[in-house]
Amino acid sequence: MSIHTVKRVQCHLAWDNSIPPALHVQSGDTVTFDCLDASNGQITPASTRSALASLVFAQLDQVNGPVHVAGAAPGDTLRVDVLAADPAPWGWTACIPGFGLLADEFPEPALKIWALHTHGDAQGERARQGEYGYAWFDEERGIRVPLRPFAGEMGVAPAEPGAFSTIPPYRTGGNIDTRHLSVGSTLYLPVGVEGALFSIGDGHAAQGDGEVCGTAIETPMKVTVRFTVLKDKPYVTTPHFTAPNPHAGAEEFYGTTGVGPDIREATRDAVRNMIAFLGKEHGLDRVQAYMLCSVAGDLRMHEVVDMPNYVIGMMLPKSIFLRS
């Protein structure tokens, strides 16, 4: 296993399979990415609400990479193990005019700068159990938010030629904003081009499912992941993942997703993809799998604000499978 680094300046602003790799690695290698926040450095700890009026939107949601993983070919799956996620000591959350689920009801800009109190354990057991630290939303009122850092943007280059915005999520990943992809999780991505061309960014110190106002606790972040090329998971056609449950000790989930512009169809795809997983990995027929999804699966809105696409997840607890 080799350890590599992608620097902060090695970033780009589109998913495009013609962008030259910043790094070439082997399957099994580990890479640390030094990522700016989603504003690309336009918001700082000293920023005030007025900074939102001068945001250059074309510079938002940059990602670091791409990384070429040897042996990855179209039809394969890229396994991405999240080993560490270390945010800066500060972050920001904003209501940006025109963004968010209730953008029409919140037209005025607002900005909150957070102080992040971390345990300094970006990859240890406390991080894996969700005990990374906290940030005060309002100390006087006693409102405190637990930190659970993750990268909102993780994806591979699309097979289609051309430049695609980093703002929406796609079937190949991208701005999936899935808060469960913290330390100890594993993301599975469908490979569309030789080498996969993986990129990452958009550090979040904490986020709720859906990211309803359009921003999380946005923060610069160093993220370390390990890549493995898999040849035996053709059912992975959208992002899949395994993730620890921070509220249930050693409990883990397996998650599938549906990604698309129609929220109902994205939800149906999330269930279809779980049915495909259960058939391939656990030998269930489609009817059995469908019933199991209904009695043991949870549907979640992972990402609902980065138009035109939604990310809907279906999550099953791995503890129900007594034989693996």
Side-chain angles (χ1 to χ4, degrees):
M1 179 189 73
S2 297
I3 300 175
H4 307 270
T5 300
V6 173
K7 299 180 177 63
R8 185 169 286 188
V9 296
Q10 294 174 298
C11 63
H12 53 98
L13 287 157
W15 298 102
D16 186 338
N17 61 32
S18 70
I19 297 174
L23 186 67
H24 287 76
V25 302
Q26 301 294 314
S27 180
D29 283 357
T30 296
V31 180
T32 295
F33 297 81
D34 186 5
C35 306
L36 270 172
D37 67 291
S39 79
N40 211 350
Q42 296 181 82
I43 295 178
T44 72
S47 292
T48 63
R49 183 177 62 178
S50 62
L52 300 177
S54 60
L55 277 180
V56 179
F57 285 86
Q59 296 297 311
L60 300 181
D61 276 352
Q62 77 294 339
V63 287
N64 290 64
V67 173
H68 180 285
V69 184
D76 292 345
T77 299
L78 184 67
R79 171 176 171 153
V80 184
D81 296 304
V82 182
L83 305 181
D86 194 10
W90 70 281
W92 62 272
T93 302
C95 292
I96 301 174
F99 280 78
L101 193 63
L102 302 180
D104 56 327
E105 299 181 23
F106 293 86
E108 298 300 318
L111 177 67
K112 178 177 179 59
I113 302 295
W114 303 75
L116 308 183
H117 304 278
T118 67
H119 297 316
D121 187 17
Q123 58 185 336
E125 187 60 30
R126 296 185 78 174
R128 285 190 291 274
Q129 295 300 321
E131 298 176 7
Y132 194 92
Y134 66 91
W136 284 108
F137 180 79
D138 190 318
E139 190 167 3
E140 183 177 341
R141 291 183 173 88
I143 304 174
R144 195 171 77 171
V145 176
L147 302 184
R148 191 163 176 81
F150 71 98
E153 293 254 14
M154 288 194 279
V156 294
E160 299 79 11
F164 297 85
S165 169
T166 56
I167 299 297
Y170 302 98
R171 296 179 69 85
T172 50
N175 199 14
I176 53 179
D177 282 337
T178 299
R179 71 184 185 97
H180 309 283
L181 296 174
S182 54
V183 173
S185 68
T186 296
L187 176 64
Y188 300 90
L189 295 169
V191 175
V193 298
E194 295 291 333
L197 299 180
F198 175 90
S199 298
I200 190 171
D202 189 23
H204 293 171
Q207 181 204 293
D209 272 322
E211 196 189 28
V212 293
C213 87
T215 57
I217 300 182
E218 310 288 340
T219 181
M221 184 178 290
K222 290 185 178 180
V223 188
T224 301
V225 301
R226 181 175 57 240
F227 299 114
T228 308
V229 177
L230 303 175
K231 304 287 186 179
D232 61 346
K233 296 188 181 296
Y235 56 85
V236 176
T237 58
T238 63
H240 288 206
F241 61 91
T242 60
N245 180 352
H247 306 298
E251 174 71 285
E252 282 194 332
F253 290 102
Y254 188 89
T256 57
T257 63
V259 183
D262 183 298
I263 194 168
R264 176 174 169 80
E265 198 58 33
T267 304
R268 283 157 58 90
D269 279 346
V271 178
R272 291 182 183 116
N273 291 333
M274 183 61 80
I275 289 171
F277 162 76
L278 291 170
K280 176 67 174 180
E281 299 294 343
H282 294 280
L284 301 184
D285 64 37
R286 283 180 53 80
V287 172
Q288 291 173 322
Y290 188 34
M291 289 192 293
L292 184 59
C293 287
S294 191
V295 301
D298 292 320
L299 280 168
R300 296 174 181 260
M301 291 182 171
H302 294 318
E303 206 288 320
V304 299
V305 294
D306 291 319
M307 297 297 98
N309 293 335
Y310 301 88
V311 180
I312 306 299
M314 162 63 74
M315 299 174 67
L316 274 179
K318 294 175 71 175
S319 61
I320 68 174
F321 303 106
L322 303 185
R323 297 185 181 88
S324 57

